[in-house]
Amino acid sequence: MLNRTFDDNRPLWSSLLPELHKPEQYGLDSSDVRWQSESLDRLLNSDWIGDDRAQALNVIRAEFRSLPRAKANPPATLLRLGDLLASTLEETSPMGRAAKSLPESFREVHTELVNAIRRLDPTHSQAFNERSRLRIQDPWPNDPDRRTPEEIVGNKDTLDLVIEFVDTLYNLIVADSIGIAPATFSTDVGIGDRALISRAIAQELAIAQYRSGAQQAAWLPRQGVSTRQGVSIGESEEHPLFEVRLNSQAAVTENQTRDQLSNLRDSAVNAIAALLDARAQRGSSGRARSPFWKGLDKLAAAEDAAAARKALDAHLKCVASILGGQGDAGLVGQFGVQFLLTGGGAVGPAIAAALWQLPGIFEFPAITLGAVAPAAAQKGVQSVRHWQGTRRWAHALGKVIELRG
């Protein structure tokens, strides 16, 4: 990826390191940044990257180095991003035929996406094979008027919708090229339910587009069928798999929203680090086995469902204590496990919640349960439900799908 930083034919835009694209805009010497980006070690030791970003990248690199390699199970035919986007314009494609029977909210988003993609013309440009071009304020390839992507599609909201659609397709291609696990998808963070609804619908359409291209059933709601991704999104009592929410009655800007969610991230760092440290203490190399794994030992040894549930409840209380006041853990419903992290701020509390519906205590391996064990306390769940009636400024919805199922 770093090698693409200065490749005009295949440019790379990094939201974490935007300085890599045009260093001079950040007061950096282009030749120095080019030399530094030739090596990850050089980059991590550069003066401009800063301690926080360098530490985050080091943690990611260490995680990848410590994990065993898994053999990929790619599909028989790999779909290209540009080809998938070109097929969205065909009325005879599965997506084109399905569009006529979609609910109104889906039809509106589908029409907006098709019109925007047609203006960008994926059939005569290889630009769509590099999704970074949508984020770069440079002339779109092959545009005779040398307009930016935003100028071509008409406005930022429409471009954001295209980016959501393209990003989802790209991530589907990557996940399916590995083919060994379900994939989790979330929307970007923004203000206003209408924008969030449109992004969620764009994501659903992208998933359906990919599945139809892979000759699989592409589930989409039909007109007259109430769905969680329709206009009532967020009003349903169903819990999303993953949600980030800022609760505020004040009129806040999108920058304030992002700052608040950044506070949430910062407050969660120590909590997650403590949890990972507890998971690392398996009792090997002379280290005492942590309460985290002792709790899982009891869960694995449970002889019936009642004992298993009691052990799981105790384990989640242990997880909550490890989070050190930055989060909570508990059981929800019959087989629900939820995780809640909180962060305070000037414009109200921000929460990050994740929910897993377990297929059954004894159908779920204990070691895997340990991987998802961080979950949210019942009082946190009640708070989340209470907040449903308040004004929401930002959240990210997520879902897990099995690409080949």
Side-chain angles (χ1 to χ4, degrees):
M1 292 173 67
L2 289 174
N3 289 337
R4 288 179 50 194
T5 300
F6 296 93
D7 187 341
D8 292 334
N9 295 320
R10 300 187 65 221
L12 172 70
W13 167 262
S14 168
S15 57
L16 178 67
L17 302 170
E19 298 94 333
L20 292 176
H21 179 58
K22 289 187 176 179
E24 62 277 4
Q25 292 184 353
Y26 298 87
L28 301 174
D29 183 272
S30 180
S31 59
D32 286 346
V33 174
R34 182 188 293 266
W35 177 79
Q36 290 161 355
S37 64
E38 290 176 354
S39 162
L40 183 57
D41 287 317
R42 279 188 222 151
L43 182 66
L44 295 181
N45 286 287
S46 61
D47 294 333
W48 56 269
I49 193 174
D51 292 340
D52 290 344
R53 292 189 295 182
Q55 182 180 4
L57 288 170
N58 262 322
V59 168
I60 294 171
R61 179 167 63 170
E63 182 79 4
F64 278 120
R65 285 179 171 177
S66 65
L67 294 173
R69 290 185 177 273
K71 185 178 180 181
N73 180 30
T77 303
L78 288 174
L79 301 173
R80 289 176 59 84
L81 184 59
D83 295 336
L84 284 169
L85 287 162
S87 66
T88 63
L89 307 181
E90 301 172 2
E91 294 184 2
T92 57
S93 69
M95 276 294 296
R97 295 195 302 271
K100 299 176 182 178
S101 60
L102 292 174
E104 182 178 356
S105 58
F106 274 71
R107 290 200 309 272
E108 289 176 355
V109 173
H110 181 268
T111 299
E112 187 173 359
L113 282 169
V114 168
N115 289 338
I117 293 169
R118 182 175 286 115
R119 294 189 196 108
L120 292 166
D121 195 5
T123 62
H124 293 92
S125 172
Q126 295 302 312
F128 268 125
N129 286 326
E130 285 80 48
R131 63 187 179 127
S132 286
R133 289 193 184 276
L134 292 170
R135 290 176 164 85
I136 297 173
Q137 296 299 310
D138 287 345
W140 185 253
N142 298 336
D143 180 56
D145 298 324
R146 295 184 58 77
R147 294 170 297 173
T148 64
E150 183 176 331
E151 290 171 335
I152 292 175
V153 302
N155 57 71
K156 184 179 183 298
D157 288 341
T158 299
L159 181 61
D160 287 343
L161 208 59
V162 173
I163 288 174
E164 189 76 55
F165 185 77
V166 172
D167 280 356
T168 303
L169 282 178
Y170 174 84
N171 290 327
L172 285 160
I173 292 170
V174 172
D176 206 13
S177 71
I178 303 168
I180 58 174
T184 305
F185 295 87
S186 64
T187 63
D188 193 10
V189 175
I191 291 178
D193 277 354
R194 188 175 187 278
L196 294 168
I197 291 167
S198 297
R199 288 174 182 174
I201 291 174
Q203 190 176 85
E204 290 287 347
L205 291 172
I207 293 170
Q209 178 70 14
Y210 183 87
R211 290 181 65 89
S212 64
Q215 306 301 314
Q216 297 176 3
W219 179 90
L220 279 172
R222 293 189 173 274
Q223 192 169 0
V225 178
S226 175
T227 70
R228 197 176 191 288
Q229 283 71 35
V231 176
S232 62
I233 192 168
E235 298 173 0
S236 167
E237 292 186 359
E238 294 180 32
H239 291 283
L241 173 82
F242 174 72
E243 182 170 13
V244 177
R245 179 182 296 179
L246 172 63
N247 181 46
S248 175
Q249 296 291 347
V252 295
T253 66
E254 188 154 353
N255 285 338
Q256 287 175 315
T257 295
R258 292 183 181 277
D259 288 343
Q260 189 73 351
L261 295 178
S262 177
N263 292 337
L264 170 64
R265 177 203 64 197
D266 293 341
S267 68
V269 167
N270 290 338
I272 298 298
L275 182 61
L276 293 176
D277 184 62
R279 288 183 58 189
Q281 298 176 33
R282 296 172 180 266
S284 58
S285 304
R287 299 182 71 181
R289 193 164 176 82
S290 73
F292 179 95
W293 288 105
K294 290 180 180 178
L296 288 180
D297 290 342
K298 292 181 180 179
L299 178 61
E303 296 182 354
D304 54 46
R309 191 167 183 82
K310 181 178 179 180
L312 177 59
D313 194 18
H315 172 65
L316 294 176
K317 289 179 181 178
C318 172
V319 169
S321 68
I322 293 172
L323 294 173
Q326 300 298 329
D328 222 327
L331 293 167
V332 182
Q334 186 176 5
F335 292 122
V337 176
Q338 195 174 40
F339 173 43
L340 181 73
L341 287 172
T342 60
V347 294
I351 65 167
L355 175 70
W356 290 268
Q357 289 292 340
L358 308 186
I361 293 295
F362 292 111
E363 297 176 30
F364 213 89
I367 188 71
T368 306
L369 185 59
V372 303
Q378 185 63 35
K379 62 181 180 181
V381 176
Q382 293 169 353
S383 296
V384 171
R385 287 175 177 167
H386 174 71
W387 289 351
Q388 286 181 347
T390 66
R391 190 174 186 179
R392 294 175 307 149
W393 281 100
H395 67 195
L397 297 175
K399 64 179 296 184
V400 166
I401 65 165
E402 181 67 60
L403 290 180
R404 304 182 193 181

